[in-house]
Amino acid sequence: MINRAEIKAEAKGILRTARVNPYIVTLLVIVISFVLNRLVDLAQGGSLFYSVETYMEYYRILLSGNELALEQFIYSLPENTANTFFFSILSSLIMLVLNGGYYVYCIGIRRGAEMPYSSLADGLGVAGKLIWCWIQMSVKIFLWSMLFVIPGIIATYRYRFAYYNILTDGSLSASAAIRLSCQQTQGMKGQLFVLDLSFIGWSILSSLTAGLLNIWLTPYMTMCDLAYFEEAQRRLGRSTYGGDQTPPSAGDPWGTL
């Protein structure tokens, strides 16, 4: 059984000693995500804060109990055109690749390396694999969810380490990374679920601060998640972060990718 308390304490220590501030790196990712979301809002509704305004108006009408007003509100929403749909998907893919670079940064500081801000771009080297992996997982999770909600949730945990596998082992295809994740999470899905439950309080607080707490919470959760990934690798007799156990250099964090 993994000692969750020790993993959390270790994660905090790693974040404190990182040579490139993890909170600034996280802030950069959040800012980029915020800008992309606002651009999607602008393309869809003609307002930089279309989604925020729309949700607030929706909940206001919903709480009022006025069914006619709710129906009129729904019909008043602009239809998604091909252009807005394309831009929304493009924004999601950009964030997927950016998050890949963020994981590279987090993996690097776990290994004691000095990871520069430019490591956020390291997901570009495996962008195709990350995108194909995302497509496959989305389809699989959707199909499992059609059976019932719980199988879909289980599938989400089953594929949890797929992105890490791609980022740490350049020889793996997207499909192989997913299959390996299924092996890695055998007997561990319950522990991962409990880990996520332990962060619910922080997640609620984050929502009350308009997501600002995520600047601290996101790297903390990622460090803990990577500790479980390391344990999963050890259980399968694999090198923790692929074949090369030498910490990546700042100039070329993942030379094999």
Side-chain angles (χ1 to χ4, degrees), residues 67-81:
E67 294 184 6
L68 179 60
L70 181 60
E71 184 177 348
Q72 292 175 340
F73 170 77
I74 292 174
Y75 279 114
S76 70
L77 295 175
E79 295 182 2
N80 284 327
T81 64

Side-chain angles (χ1 to χ4, degrees), residues 20 25 104-109 113-117 119 122 248-250 253-254:
V20 176
V25 174
V104 169
Y105 165 82
C106 291
I107 289 169
I109 64 174
E114 182 176 356
M115 303 299 290
Y117 296 112
S119 59
D122 287 338
S249 64
W254 302 106

Side-chain angles (χ1 to χ4, degrees), residues 1-168:
M1 179 68 70
I2 298 174
N3 190 315
R4 192 171 65 255
E6 288 183 1
I7 281 177
K8 288 187 172 183
E10 178 193 40
K12 292 176 183 177
I14 291 171
L15 293 173
R16 281 195 300 267
T17 58
R19 282 172 279 177
V20 176
N21 195 308
Y23 307 116
I24 295 178
V25 174
T26 305
L27 177 61
L28 286 174
V29 174
I30 291 174
V31 168
I32 293 171
S33 174
F34 178 81
V35 170
L36 288 173
N37 286 332
R38 300 292 70 78
L39 291 176
V40 170
D41 282 352
L42 183 62
Q44 183 174 7
S47 169
L48 287 174
F49 295 93
Y50 168 73
S51 62
V52 177
E53 296 167 352
T54 302
Y55 281 123
M56 290 179 65
E57 180 66 10
Y58 170 74
Y59 284 116
R60 185 189 70 77
I61 296 174
L62 193 65
L63 291 173
S64 72
N66 190 331
E67 294 184 6
L68 179 60
L70 181 60
E71 184 177 348
Q72 292 175 340
F73 170 77
I74 292 174
Y75 279 114
S76 70
L77 295 175
E79 295 182 2
N80 284 327
T81 64
N83 289 335
T84 58
F85 177 75
F86 171 78
F87 193 82
S88 178
I89 292 296
L90 179 62
S91 173
S92 298
L93 295 181
I94 291 173
M95 283 309 304
L96 174 65
V97 175
L98 179 63
N99 284 329
Y102 182 74
Y103 294 147
V104 169
Y105 165 82
C106 291
I107 289 169
I109 64 174
R110 276 198 70 86
R111 300 175 70 186
E114 182 176 356
M115 303 299 290
Y117 296 112
S118 60
S119 59
L120 287 176
D122 287 338
L124 289 171
V126 287
K129 286 185 181 181
L130 290 173
I131 292 170
W132 182 227
C133 182
W134 171 71
I135 292 172
Q136 290 188 66
M137 288 195 299
S138 298
V139 171
K140 291 173 184 287
I141 291 171
F142 171 74
L143 293 175
W144 279 110
S145 298
M146 290 181 67
L147 296 177
F148 197 60
V149 175
I150 293 178
I153 295 174
I154 294 173
T156 301
Y157 280 97
R158 187 181 298 128
Y159 310 139
R160 177 118 163 193
F161 298 145
Y163 293 144
Y164 297 156
N165 288 329
I166 289 174
L167 295 167
T168 57

Side-chain angles (χ1 to χ4, degrees), residues 26 46 90 95 122 125 152 157 171 190 206 214 235 237-238 240 243 252:
T26 305
L90 179 62
M95 283 309 304
D122 287 338
Y157 280 97
S171 67
S206 179
N214 284 332
R235 289 183 180 184
R238 290 174 55 85
T240 308
D252 184 16

